Amino acid sequence: MNYLKHLTTENYGIFFVGAAIFMQRISMGAGNVLYGLAILFFLISLYKQYKNHTLEDNYIVKKALPYFKILGIAILLIVPSVFVSEHLGKSFKALLEIWLYRALPLFIIPFCAKSKKQMYWLLGAVFISLNLDSLLAFFQHTLLKEPRPSGFSNNPLNLAAILAMTIPVQVIVMAETVFPMGLRKLAVISIFTNILGLFGGQSRGSWLLLAFTPFFSFKYWRKNKYFPIACLIIAAIIGGYIASSPSMQNRIISTINMTTDRSNADRLVVWESAAMMIHDYPLFGVGPGEFTELYKAHYELPENTQRMVHTHNNFIQVTTESGVIGLLAFLILFGYIEVTALRDTFKGNPYAYMRLAATTFYLLFGLIDYTFDASAIMKLYWYYIAISLSLEALAENETAAEIADNKTLKPNVICTHFLGQK
């Protein structure tokens, strides 16, 4: 009880946002309740910081401020597409949900973060949650013989997108000594567990991104002599598994089948319909959240045998719903994050490398599925971005404090030396 008395509003905000991300796939209802509590404590904390005039001194918020601004610019660019919609209320709700509500971890975590330990706890929580998700998907496929299992959710592509984005982040956590050893060990376990989840989920797109991960992690081939050995061992295990499984071989071969494999062919058909919609509504699109209704009514082609209800591509979907202006907003937002993360990664910043990993693999998976409207995926993406920014700010503050201490210490040492002589 005494411990609870010392918890601050910020402590509760961090706890509930971590608990929400931990639970969001295990139980959507529980995850939403926890997310609501996280938002509540964030708003209380925001009010207190504003009232106490401490916002201007929050160095973590200062680090995240450019990201708040670029997100705000993107939202402003999207707003006009709401007013061309046939259902203004529906489109406005879609705008708030997609562009703001699911991005709230980007605000909650920097405003409430106080220590690196909290950030490590947040990462550990989601790693454990995804381990459970992955093991369930692998069990569903291997023992229950489900062709396309999805873990705790009902969409196998959502789990695939999350794992494709998470495994590169875990590789960075595993390899970087700035992270505590306990979290690094958990990352190692999680990588193997999540690979099982990828093969259980049977998503060919995620397999391609898994194959790309060792190349993305280029810096560790020289930095850590064990890293290439580990990659080769994992590749050998996966290769042996594929060689012994004819169904896996057929699944991989079907990746380039654009005719009889309807999952591939129907994507091309939907993209053809989307191109017609963009031609008819080029500037502002049909309105956020309006694609499916208009597509079904006027643009769906009979060749769409799977009756897909979205474009399975983030860039195309955003353009159909918000036009060229919406695509520009999307490119400005994620382009800014990608470019700045790449620049800082080459400066040796491990936290920027996390942002680069999450953004790169999120965008790549978004070429074959519409993930921008997937609640669990987007909350987790902004969760990773916010944690990396907070860790970076905390590390910079520690370095600045050490430099200040050294500057203070040196005059004291000199004075002591002369006084001693005297």
Side-chain angles (χ1 to χ4, degrees):
M1 292 298 292
N2 289 332
Y3 171 74
L4 293 177
K5 291 179 181 178
H6 295 290
L7 292 179
T8 64
T9 305
E10 290 77 21
N11 291 141
Y12 284 112
I14 290 294
F15 171 80
F16 282 117
V17 75
I21 300 301
F22 179 91
M23 287 297 299
Q24 66 175 351
R25 283 182 54 82
I26 297 173
S27 171
M28 185 183 298
N32 286 336
V33 170
L34 292 166
Y35 196 61
L37 289 171
I39 294 171
L40 173 63
F41 282 104
F42 157 66
L43 293 175
I44 294 171
S45 172
L46 182 62
Y47 172 74
K48 286 183 176 180
Q49 291 183 56
Y50 173 77
K51 187 177 180 181
N52 296 331
H53 305 287
T54 57
L55 278 177
E56 58 270 20
D57 299 324
N58 191 326
Y59 55 90
I60 303 177
V61 172
K62 288 180 181 178
K63 172 64 67 174
L65 188 59
Y67 294 79
F68 301 160
K69 291 179 178 178
I70 205 71
L71 178 60
I73 291 170
I75 291 173
L76 288 175
L77 287 172
I78 290 292
V79 167
S81 66
V82 172
F83 294 97
V84 302
S85 169
E86 292 185 4
H87 307 93
L88 194 145
K90 176 184 175 183
S91 286
F92 185 67
K93 181 175 180 288
L95 167 67
L96 292 179
E97 286 184 352
I98 295 172
W99 289 87
L100 184 60
Y101 176 72
R102 291 164 190 168
L104 283 176
L106 177 65
F107 297 87
I108 296 171
I109 293 172
F111 274 96
C112 295
K114 296 297 180 184
S115 69
K116 286 184 177 180
K117 187 176 180 180
Q118 291 177 325
M119 301 303 101
Y120 301 148
W121 180 87
L122 291 180
L123 286 172
V126 75
F127 290 174
I128 292 170
S129 176
L130 292 178
N131 286 347
L132 299 175
D133 217 345
S134 297
L135 290 174
L136 177 59
F138 189 71
F139 170 80
Q140 289 168 335
H141 180 67
T142 55
L143 296 180
L144 301 183
K145 304 301 179 183
E146 295 183 19
R148 295 293 306 279
S150 54
F152 288 108
S153 76
N154 58 2
N155 188 336
L157 283 176
N158 281 0
L159 177 61
I162 286 171
L163 295 181
M165 178 173 62
T166 295
I167 290 175
V169 171
Q170 291 170 336
V171 169
I172 294 167
V173 172
M174 172 197 72
E176 293 288 352
T177 56
V178 295
F179 295 97
M181 185 56 68
L183 184 62
R184 294 173 68 192
K185 289 179 179 178
L186 176 60
V188 173
I189 296 169
S190 300
I191 290 167
F192 285 98
T193 304
N194 293 341
I195 289 174
L196 292 179
L198 285 183
F199 281 95
Q202 295 287 292
S203 166
R204 296 163 297 179
S206 65
W207 298 345
L208 291 173
L209 292 182
L210 177 63
F212 175 61
T213 301
F215 300 99
F216 177 83
S217 312
F218 62 94
K219 63 180 289 185
Y220 302 126
W221 288 78
R222 292 183 293 106
K223 185 176 179 180
N224 188 327
K225 63 181 180 180
Y226 298 109
F227 187 81
I229 297 173
C231 289
L232 291 173
I233 291 173
I234 293 172
I237 293 171
I238 293 174
Y241 175 62
I242 293 171
S244 64
S245 174
S247 63
M248 284 293 298
Q249 296 169 27
N250 292 333
R251 182 73 178 155
I252 292 173
I253 293 171
S254 70
T255 302
I256 57 174
N257 182 345
M258 297 297 173
T259 54
T260 57
D261 188 291
R262 296 313 305 175
S263 180
N264 295 336
D266 284 353
R267 277 176 168 82
L268 299 179
V269 172
V270 174
W271 292 350
E272 183 180 348
S273 297
M276 292 187 287
M277 293 179 70
I278 293 168
H279 178 270
D280 293 342
Y281 302 88
L283 191 59
F284 297 118
V286 299
E290 289 287 87
F291 171 83
T292 302
E293 184 174 335
L294 200 63
Y295 167 71
K296 288 290 184 182
H298 302 291
Y299 292 92
E300 186 175 26
L301 298 173
E303 293 86 351
N304 180 12
T305 58
Q306 293 187 326
R307 297 293 177 259
M308 292 180 175
V309 295
H310 57 71
T311 64
H312 282 271
N313 183 291
N314 284 334
F315 300 90
I316 296 174
Q317 184 86 17
V318 169
T319 309
T320 59
E321 294 193 341
S322 298
V324 175
I325 301 298
L327 177 63
L328 178 64
F330 190 86
L331 293 176
I332 287 174
L333 175 61
F334 290 102
Y336 173 81
I337 298 172
E338 184 81 358
V339 171
T340 54
L342 182 62
R343 178 198 65 197
D344 293 342
T345 295
F346 278 106
K347 294 179 181 178
N349 185 333
Y351 309 114
Y353 204 7
M354 283 180 62
R355 292 194 291 280
L356 182 65
T359 306
T360 299
F361 283 81
Y362 167 75
L363 292 175
L364 288 174
F365 198 91
L367 294 173
I368 55 95
D369 191 37
Y370 178 44
T371 58
F372 195 49
D373 191 27
S375 178
I377 297 171
M378 291 314 303
K379 288 175 185 174
L380 181 60
Y381 170 77
W382 291 116
Y383 185 83
Y384 285 145
I385 299 300
I387 290 172
S388 68
L389 288 170
S390 299
L391 282 171
E392 185 176 332
L394 288 162
E396 289 175 355
N397 189 60
E398 284 182 0
T399 302
E402 288 174 4
I403 292 172
D405 287 343
N406 289 335
K407 287 181 177 178
T408 304
L409 181 62
K410 286 180 181 178
N412 289 339
V413 171
I414 293 171
C415 290
T416 303
H417 174 73
F418 282 106
L419 288 172
Q421 279 188 338
K422 186 175 180 180

